[in-house]
Coordinates of all heavy atoms in Angstrom, one line a residue:
M1 N 78.9 -61.6 -61.1 CA 77.8 -61.1 -60.1 C 77.5 -62.2 -59.0 O 77.4 -63.3 -59.4 CB 76.6 -60.7 -61.0 CG 75.6 -60.0 -60.1 SD 74.4 -59.2 -61.0 CE 75.0 -57.6 -61.2
M2 N 77.4 -61.8 -57.9 CA 77.0 -62.8 -56.8 C 75.6 -62.4 -56.4 O 75.2 -61.4 -56.5 CB 78.1 -62.5 -55.7 CG 79.5 -62.8 -56.0 SD 80.7 -62.3 -54.9 CE 81.0 -60.5 -55.4
Q3 N 75.0 -63.5 -55.6 CA 73.7 -63.3 -55.2 C 73.7 -63.8 -53.7 O 74.5 -64.8 -53.4 CB 72.6 -64.2 -55.9 CG 71.2 -63.9 -55.5 CD 70.2 -64.5 -56.4 OE1 70.6 -65.1 -57.5 NE2 69.0 -64.4 -56.0
T4 N 73.0 -63.1 -52.8 CA 73.0 -63.4 -51.5 C 71.6 -63.2 -50.9 O 70.9 -62.5 -51.4 CB 74.1 -62.7 -50.7 OG1 74.2 -63.3 -49.3 CG2 73.7 -61.2 -50.4
K5 N 71.3 -63.9 -49.8 CA 70.2 -63.7 -49.1 C 70.5 -63.5 -47.5 O 71.3 -64.2 -47.0 CB 69.2 -64.9 -49.1 CG 67.9 -64.7 -48.4 CD 67.1 -66.0 -48.2 CE 66.3 -66.3 -49.5 NZ 65.5 -67.5 -49.3
I6 N 70.2 -62.3 -47.0 CA 70.5 -62.1 -45.6 C 69.1 -62.1 -44.7 O 68.2 -61.7 -45.3 CB 71.3 -60.8 -45.4 CG1 70.6 -59.6 -46.0 CG2 72.7 -61.1 -45.8 CD1 71.4 -58.4 -45.9
I7 N 69.2 -62.5 -43.5 CA 68.0 -62.5 -42.7 C 68.2 -61.3 -41.7 O 69.4 -61.2 -41.2 CB 67.9 -63.9 -41.9 CG1 68.1 -65.0 -42.7 CG2 66.7 -63.9 -41.0 CD1 66.8 -65.2 -43.7
V8 N 67.1 -60.5 -41.7 CA 67.2 -59.4 -40.8 C 66.1 -59.4 -39.7 O 65.2 -60.2 -39.8 CB 67.1 -58.1 -41.7 CG1 68.1 -57.9 -42.8 CG2 65.7 -58.0 -42.4
Q9 N 66.3 -58.5 -38.8 CA 65.4 -58.4 -37.6 C 64.4 -57.3 -37.9 O 64.6 -56.4 -38.6 CB 66.3 -58.1 -36.3 CG 67.3 -59.2 -36.0 CD 68.2 -58.8 -34.9 OE1 67.8 -58.8 -33.8 NE2 69.4 -58.5 -35.2
N10 N 63.2 -57.3 -37.2 CA 62.2 -56.3 -37.3 C 61.4 -56.2 -38.6 O 60.6 -55.4 -38.8 CB 62.7 -54.9 -37.0 CG 63.6 -54.9 -35.7 OD1 63.2 -55.7 -34.6 ND2 64.6 -54.1 -35.6
L11 N 61.6 -57.1 -39.6 CA 60.9 -57.0 -40.8 C 59.7 -57.8 -40.6 O 59.7 -59.1 -40.4 CB 61.8 -57.8 -41.9 CG 61.3 -58.0 -43.2 CD1 60.6 -56.8 -43.8 CD2 62.3 -58.6 -44.2
K12 N 58.5 -57.1 -40.7 CA 57.2 -57.6 -40.2 C 56.1 -57.7 -41.4 O 55.3 -58.5 -41.3 CB 56.7 -57.0 -39.1 CG 57.6 -57.2 -37.9 CD 57.1 -56.6 -36.7 CE 57.8 -56.8 -35.3 NZ 59.2 -56.3 -35.4
C13 N 56.3 -56.7 -42.3 CA 55.2 -56.6 -43.2 C 55.5 -56.0 -44.6 O 56.8 -55.7 -44.8 CB 54.1 -55.7 -42.6 SG 54.6 -54.0 -42.5
G14 N 54.6 -55.8 -45.6 CA 54.8 -55.3 -46.7 C 55.2 -53.9 -46.7 O 56.0 -53.4 -47.5
G15 N 55.0 -53.1 -45.7 CA 55.3 -51.7 -45.5 C 56.9 -51.8 -45.3 O 57.6 -50.9 -45.9
C16 N 57.3 -52.6 -44.3 CA 58.8 -52.7 -44.0 C 59.6 -53.1 -45.5 O 60.4 -52.5 -45.8 CB 59.0 -53.7 -43.2 SG 58.3 -53.6 -41.5
A17 N 58.9 -54.1 -46.1 CA 59.5 -54.5 -47.4 C 59.6 -53.4 -48.4 O 60.7 -53.3 -49.2 CB 58.7 -55.7 -47.9
N18 N 58.6 -52.7 -48.5 CA 58.5 -51.5 -49.4 C 59.6 -50.5 -49.1 O 60.3 -50.0 -50.0 CB 57.2 -50.9 -49.4 CG 56.9 -49.9 -50.6 OD1 57.4 -50.0 -51.7 ND2 56.0 -49.0 -50.3
T19 N 59.8 -50.2 -47.9 CA 60.8 -49.2 -47.6 C 62.3 -49.8 -47.7 O 63.0 -49.1 -48.2 CB 60.7 -48.8 -46.0 OG1 59.5 -48.2 -45.8 CG2 61.9 -48.0 -45.5
I20 N 62.4 -51.1 -47.4 CA 63.7 -51.6 -47.8 C 64.0 -51.6 -49.3 O 65.2 -51.3 -49.7 CB 63.8 -53.2 -47.1 CG1 63.8 -53.0 -45.7 CG2 65.0 -53.9 -47.7 CD1 63.5 -54.3 -44.9
S21 N 63.2 -52.2 -49.9 CA 63.4 -52.1 -51.4 C 63.7 -50.7 -52.1 O 64.6 -50.6 -52.8 CB 62.1 -52.7 -52.2 OG 61.9 -54.1 -51.8
K22 N 63.0 -49.8 -51.6 CA 63.2 -48.4 -52.1 C 64.4 -48.0 -51.8 O 65.0 -47.1 -52.4 CB 61.9 -47.5 -51.7 CG 60.6 -47.6 -52.5 CD 59.7 -46.5 -52.0 CE 58.6 -46.6 -53.0 NZ 57.4 -45.8 -52.7
N23 N 65.0 -48.2 -50.6 CA 66.1 -47.7 -50.1 C 67.4 -48.5 -50.7 O 68.4 -47.9 -51.2 CB 66.3 -47.7 -48.6 CG 65.6 -46.4 -48.0 OD1 66.2 -45.5 -47.9 ND2 64.4 -46.6 -47.8
L24 N 67.3 -49.8 -50.9 CA 68.3 -50.5 -51.5 C 68.5 -50.3 -52.9 O 69.7 -50.3 -53.5 CB 68.2 -52.0 -51.2 CG 68.2 -52.4 -49.7 CD1 68.2 -54.0 -49.7 CD2 69.3 -51.9 -49.1
I25 N 67.4 -50.0 -53.7 CA 67.5 -49.8 -55.1 C 68.4 -48.5 -55.5 O 68.9 -48.4 -56.5 CB 66.1 -49.7 -55.8 CG1 66.4 -50.1 -57.2 CG2 65.5 -48.3 -55.7 CD1 65.0 -50.9 -57.8
T26 N 68.6 -47.6 -54.3 CA 69.3 -46.4 -54.6 C 70.7 -46.7 -54.5 O 71.7 -45.8 -54.8 CB 69.0 -45.3 -53.6 OG1 69.2 -45.8 -52.2 CG2 67.4 -45.0 -53.7
L27 N 71.1 -47.9 -54.0 CA 72.7 -48.3 -53.8 C 73.1 -48.7 -55.1 O 72.6 -49.3 -55.9 CB 72.8 -49.2 -52.7 CG 72.3 -48.9 -51.2 CD1 72.5 -50.2 -50.4 CD2 73.3 -47.8 -50.7
E28 N 74.3 -48.2 -55.4 CA 75.1 -48.6 -56.6 C 75.4 -50.1 -56.5 O 75.8 -50.5 -55.4 CB 76.4 -47.7 -56.7 CG 76.8 -47.5 -58.1 CD 78.0 -46.5 -58.2 OE1 77.8 -45.4 -57.7 OE2 79.0 -47.0 -58.6
D29 N 75.4 -50.8 -57.6 CA 75.9 -52.1 -57.7 C 74.9 -53.1 -57.0 O 75.2 -54.2 -56.8 CB 77.2 -52.2 -57.1 CG 77.9 -53.5 -57.2 OD1 77.9 -54.2 -58.4 OD2 78.5 -54.2 -56.3
I30 N 73.6 -52.7 -56.7 CA 72.7 -53.7 -56.1 C 71.6 -53.8 -57.1 O 70.9 -52.9 -57.6 CB 72.1 -53.2 -54.8 CG1 73.3 -52.8 -53.7 CG2 71.2 -54.1 -54.2 CD1 74.1 -54.1 -53.4
S31 N 71.2 -55.0 -57.5 CA 70.1 -55.4 -58.3 C 69.2 -56.5 -57.9 O 69.7 -57.3 -56.9 CB 70.6 -55.5 -59.7 OG 71.5 -56.7 -59.8
D32 N 68.2 -56.8 -58.6 CA 67.3 -57.9 -58.3 C 66.9 -58.1 -56.8 O 67.2 -59.2 -56.2 CB 68.0 -59.3 -58.7 CG 68.0 -59.2 -60.3 OD1 67.2 -58.6 -60.9 OD2 69.0 -60.0 -60.8
I33 N 66.5 -57.0 -56.2 CA 66.1 -57.1 -54.8 C 64.8 -57.7 -54.6 O 63.8 -57.5 -55.2 CB 66.1 -55.5 -54.2 CG1 67.4 -54.8 -54.6 CG2 65.7 -55.5 -52.8 CD1 67.3 -53.4 -54.5
N34 N 64.8 -58.7 -53.6 CA 63.6 -59.5 -53.2 C 63.4 -59.5 -51.7 O 64.3 -60.1 -51.0 CB 63.6 -60.9 -53.9 CG 62.4 -61.7 -53.6 OD1 61.4 -61.2 -53.0 ND2 62.4 -62.7 -54.1
V35 N 62.5 -58.8 -51.2 CA 62.2 -58.7 -49.7 C 61.1 -59.5 -49.4 O 60.1 -59.4 -49.9 CB 62.1 -57.2 -49.3 CG1 62.1 -57.2 -47.6 CG2 63.2 -56.4 -49.8
N36 N 61.3 -60.5 -48.5 CA 60.4 -61.5 -48.1 C 60.0 -61.3 -46.5 O 60.8 -61.9 -45.8 CB 60.7 -62.9 -48.5 CG 59.8 -63.9 -48.1 OD1 58.8 -63.8 -47.2 ND2 59.7 -65.0 -48.9
P37 N 58.9 -60.6 -46.2 CA 58.5 -60.6 -44.8 C 58.3 -61.8 -44.1 O 58.7 -62.0 -43.0 CB 57.4 -59.8 -44.9 CG 57.2 -59.1 -46.2 CD 57.9 -59.9 -47.2
E38 N 57.8 -62.8 -44.7 CA 57.6 -64.1 -44.0 C 58.8 -64.8 -43.6 O 58.9 -65.5 -42.6 CB 56.7 -65.0 -45.0 CG 55.3 -64.6 -45.2 CD 54.5 -65.2 -46.3 OE1 55.0 -66.3 -46.7 OE2 53.5 -64.8 -46.7
E39 N 59.8 -64.7 -44.4 CA 61.3 -65.3 -44.0 C 62.1 -64.3 -43.3 O 63.1 -64.6 -42.8 CB 62.0 -65.7 -45.3 CG 61.3 -66.8 -46.0 CD 62.2 -67.2 -47.2 OE1 63.1 -66.6 -47.6 OE2 61.8 -68.3 -47.9
S40 N 61.7 -63.0 -43.2 CA 62.5 -61.9 -42.8 C 63.9 -61.8 -43.6 O 64.9 -61.5 -43.0 CB 62.9 -62.1 -41.3 OG 61.8 -61.9 -40.4
S41 N 63.7 -62.1 -44.8 CA 64.9 -62.1 -45.7 C 64.9 -61.1 -46.8 O 63.9 -60.6 -47.1 CB 65.1 -63.5 -46.5 OG 64.0 -63.6 -47.4
V42 N 66.2 -60.6 -47.1 CA 66.4 -59.6 -48.2 C 67.5 -60.4 -49.1 O 68.6 -60.6 -48.7 CB 67.0 -58.3 -47.5 CG1 67.2 -57.4 -48.7 CG2 66.2 -57.9 -46.5
A43 N 67.0 -60.7 -50.3 CA 68.0 -61.2 -51.3 C 68.2 -60.1 -52.3 O 67.4 -59.3 -52.8 CB 67.2 -62.4 -52.0
F44 N 69.5 -60.2 -52.9 CA 69.8 -59.3 -53.9 C 71.1 -59.8 -54.6 O 71.8 -60.7 -54.2 CB 70.1 -57.8 -53.4 CG 71.0 -57.8 -52.2 CD1 72.4 -57.6 -52.4 CD2 70.6 -58.0 -51.0 CE1 73.2 -57.7 -51.3 CE2 71.5 -58.0 -49.8 CZ 72.8 -57.9 -50.0
R45 N 71.4 -59.1 -55.7 CA 72.7 -59.5 -56.5 C 73.6 -58.1 -56.3 O 73.1 -57.0 -56.2 CB 72.4 -59.7 -58.0 CG 71.5 -60.9 -58.3 CD 71.5 -61.0 -59.8 NE 70.4 -62.1 -60.2 CZ 70.9 -63.3 -60.2 NH1 72.2 -63.7 -60.1 NH2 70.1 -64.3 -60.7
Y46 N 74.9 -58.5 -56.3 CA 75.9 -57.5 -56.3 C 77.1 -57.9 -56.8 O 77.4 -59.2 -57.1 CB 76.2 -57.1 -54.8 CG 76.6 -58.3 -53.9 CD1 78.1 -58.4 -53.6 CD2 75.8 -59.4 -53.4 CE1 78.6 -59.3 -52.8 CE2 76.4 -60.2 -52.7 CZ 77.7 -60.2 -52.4 OH 78.2 -61.4 -51.7
T47 N 78.0 -57.0 -57.3 CA 79.2 -57.5 -57.9 C 80.6 -57.2 -57.0 O 81.6 -57.8 -57.3 CB 79.5 -56.8 -59.2 OG1 79.2 -55.3 -59.1 CG2 78.5 -57.2 -60.4
H48 N 80.5 -56.3 -56.1 CA 81.7 -56.1 -55.2 C 81.4 -56.4 -53.8 O 80.2 -56.1 -53.3 CB 82.0 -54.6 -55.3 CG 82.5 -54.1 -56.7 ND1 81.6 -53.6 -57.5 CD2 83.6 -54.4 -57.4 CE1 82.2 -53.3 -58.8 NE2 83.4 -53.7 -58.6
E49 N 82.2 -57.0 -53.0 CA 82.2 -57.3 -51.7 C 81.8 -56.2 -50.8 O 81.0 -56.3 -50.0 CB 83.6 -58.0 -51.2 CG 83.2 -58.9 -50.0 CD 82.4 -60.1 -50.3 OE1 82.6 -60.8 -51.3 OE2 81.5 -60.4 -49.3
S50 N 82.4 -55.0 -51.2 CA 81.9 -53.8 -50.3 C 80.5 -53.5 -50.5 O 79.9 -52.8 -49.5 CB 82.8 -52.7 -50.8 OG 82.6 -52.4 -52.2
S51 N 79.8 -53.8 -51.5 CA 78.3 -53.6 -51.7 C 77.4 -54.2 -50.7 O 76.5 -53.7 -50.2 CB 77.8 -53.9 -53.1 OG 78.6 -53.4 -54.0
L52 N 78.0 -55.5 -50.2 CA 77.4 -56.3 -49.3 C 77.3 -55.5 -47.9 O 76.3 -55.5 -47.2 CB 78.0 -57.6 -49.1 CG 77.3 -58.6 -48.1 CD1 75.8 -59.0 -48.4 CD2 78.1 -60.0 -48.2
Q53 N 78.5 -54.9 -47.5 CA 78.6 -54.1 -46.3 C 77.7 -52.8 -46.4 O 77.0 -52.5 -45.3 CB 80.0 -53.8 -46.2 CG 80.5 -53.4 -44.7 CD 81.9 -53.3 -44.6 OE1 82.8 -53.3 -45.5 NE2 82.4 -53.1 -43.4
S54 N 77.7 -52.3 -47.6 CA 76.8 -51.0 -47.8 C 75.3 -51.3 -47.6 O 74.6 -50.5 -46.9 CB 76.8 -50.5 -49.2 OG 78.2 -50.0 -49.5
V55 N 74.8 -52.6 -48.0 CA 73.5 -53.0 -47.7 C 73.2 -53.3 -46.3 O 72.3 -52.8 -45.8 CB 73.1 -54.3 -48.6 CG1 71.9 -54.9 -48.1 CG2 73.1 -54.0 -50.0
E56 N 74.1 -54.0 -45.7 CA 74.0 -54.3 -44.2 C 73.8 -52.9 -43.5 O 73.1 -52.8 -42.4 CB 75.1 -55.1 -43.7 CG 74.9 -56.6 -44.3 CD 76.0 -57.5 -43.8 OE1 76.8 -57.2 -42.7 OE2 75.8 -58.7 -44.2
E57 N 74.7 -51.9 -43.8 CA 74.7 -50.7 -43.0 C 73.5 -49.9 -43.3 O 72.9 -49.2 -42.4 CB 75.9 -49.8 -43.5 CG 77.3 -50.2 -42.9 CD 78.5 -49.5 -43.5 OE1 78.3 -48.5 -44.2 OE2 79.6 -50.1 -43.3
K58 N 72.9 -49.9 -44.6 CA 71.7 -49.3 -44.9 C 70.6 -50.0 -44.2 O 69.7 -49.2 -43.5 CB 71.4 -49.4 -46.4 CG 70.2 -48.8 -46.9 CD 70.0 -47.2 -46.7 CE 70.5 -46.5 -47.8 NZ 70.3 -45.0 -47.6
L59 N 70.5 -51.2 -44.1 CA 69.5 -51.9 -43.4 C 69.4 -51.6 -41.9 O 68.3 -51.3 -41.4 CB 69.6 -53.5 -43.6 CG 69.2 -54.0 -45.0 CD1 69.7 -55.4 -45.1 CD2 67.7 -53.9 -45.3
K60 N 70.7 -51.6 -41.4 CA 70.7 -51.2 -39.9 C 70.3 -49.8 -39.7 O 69.6 -49.5 -38.7 CB 72.2 -51.4 -39.4 CG 72.3 -51.2 -38.0 CD 73.7 -51.6 -37.6 CE 73.8 -51.6 -36.1 NZ 75.1 -52.1 -35.6
H61 N 70.6 -48.9 -40.6 CA 70.2 -47.4 -40.5 C 68.7 -47.4 -40.5 O 68.0 -46.5 -39.9 CB 70.8 -46.6 -41.6 CG 70.4 -45.2 -41.7 ND1 70.8 -44.3 -40.9 CD2 69.5 -44.6 -42.5 CE1 70.2 -43.1 -41.1 NE2 69.5 -43.2 -42.2
L62 N 68.0 -48.2 -41.4 CA 66.6 -48.3 -41.6 C 65.8 -48.9 -40.3 O 64.7 -48.8 -40.1 CB 66.2 -48.9 -42.8 CG 66.5 -48.1 -44.2 CD1 66.3 -49.1 -45.3 CD2 65.8 -46.8 -44.2
G63 N 66.6 -49.6 -39.4 CA 66.1 -50.3 -38.3 C 66.0 -51.8 -38.5 O 65.2 -52.5 -37.7
Y64 N 66.6 -52.3 -39.5 CA 66.5 -53.7 -39.8 C 68.0 -54.4 -39.7 O 68.6 -54.7 -40.6 CB 66.0 -54.1 -41.2 CG 64.6 -53.3 -41.3 CD1 64.4 -52.1 -42.0 CD2 63.5 -54.0 -40.7 CE1 63.2 -51.6 -42.1 CE2 62.2 -53.4 -40.8 CZ 62.1 -52.2 -41.5 OH 61.0 -51.7 -41.7
P65 N 68.6 -54.6 -38.4 CA 70.0 -55.2 -38.3 C 69.9 -56.6 -38.8 O 68.9 -57.3 -38.6 CB 70.3 -54.9 -36.9 CG 68.9 -54.9 -36.1 CD 67.9 -54.2 -37.2
V66 N 71.0 -57.0 -39.3 CA 71.2 -58.5 -39.6 C 71.1 -59.4 -38.4 O 71.5 -58.9 -37.3 CB 72.5 -58.6 -40.3 CG1 72.7 -60.1 -40.7 CG2 72.6 -57.8 -41.7
I67 N 70.4 -60.5 -38.6 CA 70.6 -61.5 -37.5 C 71.9 -61.7 -36.9 O 72.8 -61.8 -37.6 CB 69.8 -62.8 -37.9 CG1 68.4 -62.8 -38.1 CG2 70.2 -64.0 -37.0 CD1 67.5 -62.7 -37.0
G68 N 72.0 -61.6 -35.6 CA 73.3 -61.8 -35.0 C 73.8 -60.4 -34.5 O 74.6 -60.3 -33.5
D69 N 73.4 -59.3 -35.1 CA 73.7 -58.0 -34.7 C 72.8 -57.6 -33.6 O 71.7 -58.0 -33.4 CB 73.4 -56.9 -35.8 CG 74.7 -56.8 -36.8 OD1 75.6 -57.7 -36.6 OD2 74.8 -55.9 -37.5
A70 N 73.3 -56.7 -32.7 CA 72.5 -56.2 -31.7 C 71.2 -55.6 -32.2 O 71.3 -54.7 -33.2 CB 73.2 -55.1 -30.8
N71 N 70.0 -56.0 -31.6 CA 68.9 -55.3 -32.0 C 68.4 -54.3 -30.9 O 67.7 -54.6 -30.0 CB 67.7 -56.3 -32.2 CG 66.4 -55.8 -33.0 OD1 66.4 -54.7 -33.3 ND2 65.4 -56.6 -32.9
T72 N 68.9 -53.2 -30.9 CA 68.6 -52.1 -29.9 C 67.2 -51.5 -29.9 O 66.6 -51.7 -30.9 CB 69.6 -51.0 -29.9 OG1 69.5 -50.3 -31.2 CG2 71.1 -51.6 -29.9
Y73 N 66.9 -50.8 -29.0 CA 65.5 -50.1 -29.0 C 65.5 -49.2 -30.0 O 64.5 -48.9 -30.8 CB 65.3 -49.4 -27.6 CG 64.9 -50.5 -26.5 CD1 65.6 -50.6 -25.3 CD2 63.6 -51.2 -26.5 CE1 65.3 -51.5 -24.3 CE2 63.3 -52.0 -25.6 CZ 64.2 -52.3 -24.6 OH 63.8 -53.2 -23.5
L74 N 66.7 -48.6 -30.3 CA 66.8 -47.6 -31.4 C 66.4 -48.3 -32.7 O 65.7 -47.6 -33.5 CB 68.2 -46.9 -31.4 CG 68.3 -45.7 -32.4 CD1 67.2 -44.7 -32.2 CD2 69.7 -45.2 -32.3
N75 N 67.0 -49.4 -33.0 CA 66.8 -50.2 -34.1 C 65.2 -50.4 -34.4 O 64.7 -50.2 -35.4 CB 67.6 -51.5 -34.3 CG 69.0 -51.4 -34.4 OD1 69.8 -51.9 -33.7 ND2 69.4 -50.4 -35.3
K76 N 64.7 -50.7 -33.3 CA 63.2 -51.2 -33.2 C 62.4 -50.0 -33.5 O 61.5 -50.0 -34.3 CB 62.8 -51.8 -31.9 CG 63.4 -53.2 -31.8 CD 63.0 -53.8 -30.3 CE 63.7 -55.1 -30.3 NZ 63.6 -55.6 -28.9
A77 N 62.7 -48.9 -32.9 CA 62.1 -47.6 -33.1 C 62.2 -47.2 -34.7 O 61.2 -46.7 -35.3 CB 62.5 -46.5 -32.3
K78 N 63.3 -47.3 -35.2 CA 63.6 -46.9 -36.6 C 62.8 -47.8 -37.6 O 62.3 -47.4 -38.5 CB 65.1 -47.0 -37.0 CG 66.0 -45.9 -36.3 CD 67.5 -46.2 -36.8 CE 68.3 -45.3 -36.2 NZ 69.7 -45.6 -36.6
S79 N 62.7 -49.1 -37.1 CA 61.9 -49.9 -38.0 C 60.3 -49.6 -38.2 O 59.8 -49.7 -39.1 CB 62.1 -51.4 -37.6 OG 61.3 -51.8 -36.5
F80 N 59.9 -49.2 -36.9 CA 58.5 -48.7 -36.9 C 58.3 -47.6 -37.9 O 57.3 -47.5 -38.5 CB 58.0 -48.4 -35.5 CG 57.8 -49.6 -34.6 CD1 58.5 -49.6 -33.4 CD2 56.9 -50.6 -34.8 CE1 58.4 -50.9 -32.6 CE2 56.8 -51.8 -34.1 CZ 57.5 -51.8 -32.9
I81 N 59.3 -46.7 -37.8 CA 59.1 -45.5 -38.7 C 59.2 -45.9 -40.1 O 58.4 -45.5 -40.9 CB 60.1 -44.3 -38.4 CG1 60.0 -43.8 -36.9 CG2 60.2 -43.3 -39.4 CD1 61.1 -43.1 -36.3
S82 N 60.2 -46.8 -40.4 CA 60.4 -47.3 -41.8 C 59.2 -48.0 -42.3 O 58.6 -47.8 -43.4 CB 61.5 -48.2 -41.9 OG 62.8 -47.4 -41.7
C83 N 58.6 -48.8 -41.3 CA 57.4 -49.7 -41.7 C 56.2 -48.7 -42.1 O 55.6 -48.9 -43.1 CB 57.1 -50.5 -40.5 SG 55.5 -51.3 -40.5
A84 N 56.0 -47.6 -41.1 CA 54.9 -46.7 -41.5 C 55.1 -45.9 -42.8 O 54.2 -45.8 -43.6 CB 54.8 -45.7 -40.2
T85 N 56.3 -45.5 -43.0 CA 56.6 -44.9 -44.3 C 56.3 -45.7 -45.4 O 55.8 -45.3 -46.5 CB 58.2 -44.4 -44.3 OG1 58.4 -43.7 -43.0 CG2 58.5 -43.7 -45.4
G86 N 56.7 -46.9 -45.4 CA 56.5 -47.9 -46.4 C 55.1 -48.1 -46.7 O 54.6 -48.3 -47.9
K87 N 54.1 -48.2 -45.6 CA 52.7 -48.5 -45.8 C 52.2 -47.2 -46.5 O 51.2 -47.3 -47.3 CB 52.2 -48.6 -44.5 CG 52.4 -50.0 -43.9 CD 51.8 -50.2 -42.6 CE 52.0 -51.5 -42.0 NZ 51.6 -51.6 -40.6
M88 N 52.6 -46.0 -46.1 CA 51.9 -44.8 -46.7 C 52.5 -44.7 -48.2 O 51.7 -44.1 -49.0 CB 52.5 -43.6 -46.1 CG 51.9 -43.4 -44.7 SD 52.4 -41.7 -44.0 CE 54.1 -42.0 -43.4
N89 N 53.6 -45.2 -48.6 CA 53.9 -45.1 -50.0 C 53.6 -46.3 -50.9 O 54.2 -46.4 -52.0 CB 55.5 -44.9 -50.0 CG 55.9 -43.6 -49.4 OD1 55.2 -42.6 -49.4 ND2 57.1 -43.5 -48.7
Q90 N 53.0 -47.2 -50.4 CA 52.6 -48.3 -51.1 C 51.6 -48.2 -52.4 O 50.7 -47.3 -52.3 CB 52.0 -49.6 -50.3 CG 52.9 -50.4 -49.6 CD 52.3 -51.5 -48.9 OE1 51.2 -51.5 -48.4 NE2 53.1 -52.6 -48.6

């Protein structure tokens, strides 16, 4: 099992972290998810290299592209929705 930490864009608060955690836990092969808004980081364990790609795609879909990826207006808009959803479900 491998562990990694990735830095993402648009991660600002506990609402964002809540949405990210709830969505990543649904992915197969992903465990020990730790989202840190202060560091804009998402740490997790996985066993297959393809799982890392799945996480990055899911994060981008939610509006939190990995640092280095284009942060479009669409990503920012999605992150606001994900953030609001996370706040309502806390």
Side-chain angles (χ1 to χ4, degrees):
M1 186 164 271
M2 296 168 275
Q3 184 166 359
T4 192
K5 181 194 279 188
I6 52 181
I7 307 298
V8 297
Q9 302 173 74
N10 305 329
L11 171 51
K12 295 179 175 66
C13 69
C16 298
N18 193 28
T19 294
I20 290 171
S21 296
K22 281 189 171 171
N23 278 273
L24 293 189
I25 206 149
T26 66
L27 296 175
E28 211 171 299
D29 189 42
I30 303 298
S31 61
D32 295 336
I33 300 159
N34 184 357
V35 184
N36 185 333
E38 288 170 18
E39 293 182 354
S40 294
S41 68
V42 181
F44 54 92
R45 292 181 188 274
Y46 62 103
T47 49
H48 298 98
E49 203 59 45
S50 61
S51 301
L52 182 57
Q53 203 170 3
S54 298
V55 168
E56 290 183 1
E57 285 170 16
K58 176 65 89 174
L59 288 168
K60 189 172 186 175
H61 176 75
L62 291 169
Y64 305 100
V66 176
I67 287 287
D69 275 11
N71 191 9
T72 63
Y73 286 115
L74 183 59
N75 289 136
K76 291 175 185 174
K78 286 179 183 175
S79 76
F80 284 121
I81 294 165
S82 292
C83 173
T85 303
K87 284 179 180 171
M88 286 187 287
N89 295 325
Q90 278 182 333

